Amino acid sequence: DVKVTQSSRYLVKRTGEKVFLECVQDMDHENMFWYRQDPGLGLRLIYFSYDVKMKEKGDIPEGYSVSREKKERFSLILESASTNQTSMYLCASSLFGAGNMNTEAFFGQGTRLTVV
Amino acid sequence: SQKIEQNSEALNIQEGKTATLTCNYTNYSPAYLQWYRQDPGRGPVFLLLIRENEKEKRKERLKVTFDTTLKQSLFHITASQPADSATYLCALGANSGYALNFGKGTSLLVTP
C-alpha cells in the first residue's frame, strides 16, 4: 500500500521558533509538494520539488523553506514561526508521467500546526 | 492569473439521487484535470483523471466530463449514498509544469 507519512499529526509551537515538518514517501516518486489548507482559502502550494536537491517556490513561499536531501524525504521549515502560519499542512508526492503530465498525487494525513 | 472555481455553497441531496459538481477554470491550458475527495481532518484522495482529448471518464458510480471549450469539468456521482458525503476538489496542472493547483472544493452532503 502506497504511503506518504508526515511526522506529526498535531503540533503546537511558540512564536519565533524554528519548526520542521517532515514528510516521507515510499513510492520512489520524483515530485513532492507542500501545501497549506485554510478555511475559505483551499489548498495553497508552498513549495515543490521535482528531484533531489531541487526546489521551486509555489504560490506562498514567504516565511518557509524546504529541504530535499534524499528522494523519499521532503522537509518544510518555518524559519521563525508566526501565528499566521497556524494551519493544516499537507505533503504530497506524485510520479512524473509521460507527456509532461503528473499522475495522481498521494497525500499524507496532514499536520495541524498551531503557533501560539 | 490562473483561477479554478468550484461552487462554494454546499450541495445537499437525497440518497439515491445524482450529485453534480462543477469546476470552471481560467487562464489554463490543461492537458488533464483531476478530481479528489477529502474527508474532514484528512488529506485529499485521488478519484479520477481525465485528459484533454477525453470527453468523459467513468469509474463505478463516478463520471467526469471535460469541456476544454467551455473550460469546465462536471463531476457526477450517481445513486449517491450518505458515505459519499465529503468535500470534492478539482485540480489542474499548473502551466509551469510540475505542480497541481486545486480549487477550493465543494462540500457534498447526502441525506438518507
Side-chain angles (χ1 to χ4, degrees):
Chain A
D1 200 16
V2 296
K3 261 199 176 158
V4 177
T5 304
Q6 295 183 228
S7 53
S8 303
R9 191 83 174 88
Y10 299 96
L11 213 52
V12 179
K13 295 292 181 181
R14 295 195 181 278
T15 302
E17 275 193 78
K18 190 168 186 176
V19 181
F20 293 85
L21 302 182
E22 307 286 347
C23 176
V24 177
Q25 51 99 359
D26 64 359
M27 295 165 282
D28 202 34
H29 283 172
E30 293 90 354
N31 301 329
M32 295 190 75
F33 309 88
W34 275 105
Y35 293 87
R36 64 177 281 179
Q37 187 172 33
D38 302 286
L41 296 176
L43 278 160
R44 292 181 292 167
L45 182 66
I46 305 171
Y47 266 96
F48 65 97
S49 167
Y50 53 88
D51 201 352
V52 175
K53 297 193 187 295
M54 305 304 289
K55 58 187 178 185
E56 292 284 343
K57 293 180 180 178
D59 298 318
I60 50 164
E62 297 78 18
Y64 303 94
S65 63
V66 289
S67 172
R68 193 161 180 206
E69 295 297 317
K70 292 185 178 181
K71 191 175 185 180
E72 67 271 18
R73 187 180 296 270
F74 193 35
S75 303
L76 179 69
I77 303 151
L78 284 66
E79 298 291 343
S80 177
S82 64
T83 54
N84 63 13
Q85 292 179 309
T86 292
S87 185
M88 169 72 97
Y89 288 88
L90 288 158
C91 173
S93 72
S94 72
L95 189 63
F96 196 64
N100 198 32
M101 186 182 77
N102 281 329
T103 57
E104 62 188 277
F106 292 86
F107 281 83
Q109 77 277 25
T111 296
R112 188 163 292 282
L113 172 68
T114 303
V115 182
V116 297
Chain B
S1 61
Q2 294 178 320
K3 279 188 180 177
I4 303 171
E5 294 181 346
Q6 296 184 254
N7 196 339
S8 57
E9 286 186 22
L11 179 63
N12 293 339
I13 64 166
Q14 203 170 14
E15 183 175 9
K17 303 289 187 185
T18 296
T20 298
L21 287 69
T22 304
C23 176
N24 295 299
Y25 59 90
T26 54
N27 293 324
Y28 278 94
S29 299
Y32 60 95
L33 183 146
Q34 301 183 17
W35 282 90
Y36 290 76
R37 170 186 172 136
Q38 187 175 24
D39 292 290
R42 308 191 72 91
V45 175
F46 172 80
L47 295 174
L48 279 168
L49 179 153
I50 185 166
R51 293 176 173 76
E52 60 177 336
N53 60 352
E54 296 175 317
K55 295 294 184 188
E56 183 179 297
K57 198 93 172 264
R58 290 176 187 260
K59 180 182 175 183
E60 297 172 352
R61 294 184 296 111
L62 308 180
K63 185 179 88 170
V64 171
T65 63
F66 193 16
D67 189 326
T68 55
T69 302
L70 289 179
K71 298 187 186 297
Q72 181 181 80
S73 175
L74 298 179
F75 177 80
H76 307 271
I77 306 175
T78 57
S80 59
Q81 304 166 359
D84 295 328
S85 299
T87 296
Y88 292 86
L89 307 166
C90 72
L92 291 171
N95 289 341
S96 60
Y98 297 99
L100 270 180
N101 291 334
F102 286 81
K104 293 178 183 177
T106 298
S107 176
L108 172 67
L109 180 62
V110 181
T111 52

